[in-house]
Amino acid sequence: MPITAEQRRQLNRKRRDGRAAEAYAAILGDLDAPMLGACISLKEREDTKKAGTMAAPADALRYTECSLPALQRTLGKIQDKYGEGSGKLQEDGEGVFYDLGSGLGKACLQAAVCYPFEAVVGIEVLEGLHTMALELKQRYDDKAPEALPPSQRRSEDDGRPIDVPELEFRHTSFAGADLGEA
């Protein structure tokens, strides 16, 4: 008996999210320290405000983080709305996820462990946060092939291998960033 579209959506979501939290924690490690990103952001905003080198008003920038369950729910809702035909957000190993104002890069890491995107790109204007995101990228490059669930590394449709999503962080303002892949 064929499965319904709703059953396919549930199976696809389970496949994507099954070990996401475990992979996320293994890669993130001590960068999950409470308030780390907020402290780096606040210090850099204060320093650049004093030096008069901030491109945007210091009070225009805010630092917040998205939890893994919140991002999973959000991508799941997008998948349910726009993945009607296949029950998928996109084909395995395709699509680019962008995080504008990516901070430490946690939402980028979350997207990479939840869905088999082709690439995940974070854009951050504050240098201190960008530097920490590059450290996260190094951890991802070192640990992702083993930490990501096997289903993240194989196509559900034909079993072909899928590269782990490429994780990239750009140090620039997103106001003029090239988002042509989006």
Side-chain angles (χ1 to χ4, degrees), residues 39-124:
C39 290
I40 293 170
S41 174
L42 180 61
K43 180 179 181 341
E44 187 164 348
R45 284 183 284 135
E46 288 174 349
D47 291 350
T48 55
K49 184 177 181 180
K50 286 177 191 172
T53 58
M54 181 161 277
D59 59 353
L61 301 175
R62 296 283 183 261
Y63 185 89
T64 60
E65 294 181 353
C66 179
S67 71
L68 179 62
L71 188 80
Q72 288 173 310
R73 282 191 305 275
T74 300
L75 291 177
K77 287 181 180 191
I78 293 168
Q79 173 180 294
D80 289 347
K81 180 166 176 107
Y82 297 103
E84 285 298 315
S86 65
K88 293 183 181 184
L89 185 60
Q90 80 282 324
E91 292 302 313
D92 289 341
E94 295 181 5
V96 179
F97 175 92
Y98 280 92
D99 183 9
L100 308 178
S102 57
L104 293 178
K106 290 180 179 182
C108 291
L109 177 59
Q110 293 166 2
V113 300
C114 288
Y115 286 89
F117 289 104
E118 176 183 353
V120 175
V121 179
I123 298 175
E124 177 57 54

Side-chain angles (χ1 to χ4, degrees), residues 3-175:
I3 64 172
T4 67
E6 178 59 28
Q7 289 170 322
R8 183 173 173 88
R9 275 195 291 274
Q10 292 303 318
L11 287 171
N12 193 51
R13 185 169 300 124
K14 183 177 179 184
R15 180 178 81 84
R16 302 277 197 257
D17 295 347
R19 288 187 41 220
E22 183 181 318
Y24 178 72
I27 296 167
L28 189 61
D30 62 346
L31 289 180
D32 198 24
M35 302 300 292
L36 177 62
C39 290
I40 293 170
S41 174
L42 180 61
K43 180 179 181 341
E44 187 164 348
R45 284 183 284 135
E46 288 174 349
D47 291 350
T48 55
K49 184 177 181 180
K50 286 177 191 172
T53 58
M54 181 161 277
D59 59 353
L61 301 175
R62 296 283 183 261
Y63 185 89
T64 60
E65 294 181 353
C66 179
S67 71
L68 179 62
L71 188 80
Q72 288 173 310
R73 282 191 305 275
T74 300
L75 291 177
K77 287 181 180 191
I78 293 168
Q79 173 180 294
D80 289 347
K81 180 166 176 107
Y82 297 103
E84 285 298 315
S86 65
K88 293 183 181 184
L89 185 60
Q90 80 282 324
E91 292 302 313
D92 289 341
E94 295 181 5
V96 179
F97 175 92
Y98 280 92
D99 183 9
L100 308 178
S102 57
L104 293 178
K106 290 180 179 182
C108 291
L109 177 59
Q110 293 166 2
V113 300
C114 288
Y115 286 89
F117 289 104
E118 176 183 353
V120 175
V121 179
I123 298 175
E124 177 57 54
V125 70
L126 295 178
E127 186 174 353
L129 292 173
H130 175 71
T131 299
M132 295 302 291
L134 293 177
E135 182 177 329
L136 180 62
K137 178 187 177 358
Q138 184 61 53
R139 291 176 185 205
Y140 175 81
D141 291 344
D142 292 344
K143 297 178 180 181
E146 295 305 316
L148 287 176
S151 60
Q152 286 282 90
R153 299 187 311 259
R154 289 238 169 250
S155 171
E156 180 180 71
D157 298 325
D158 59 16
R160 68 180 163 78
I162 303 170
D163 293 332
V164 295
E166 177 185 339
L167 185 58
E168 176 186 348
F169 292 105
R170 300 176 188 166
H171 180 224
T172 187
S173 169
F174 63 77

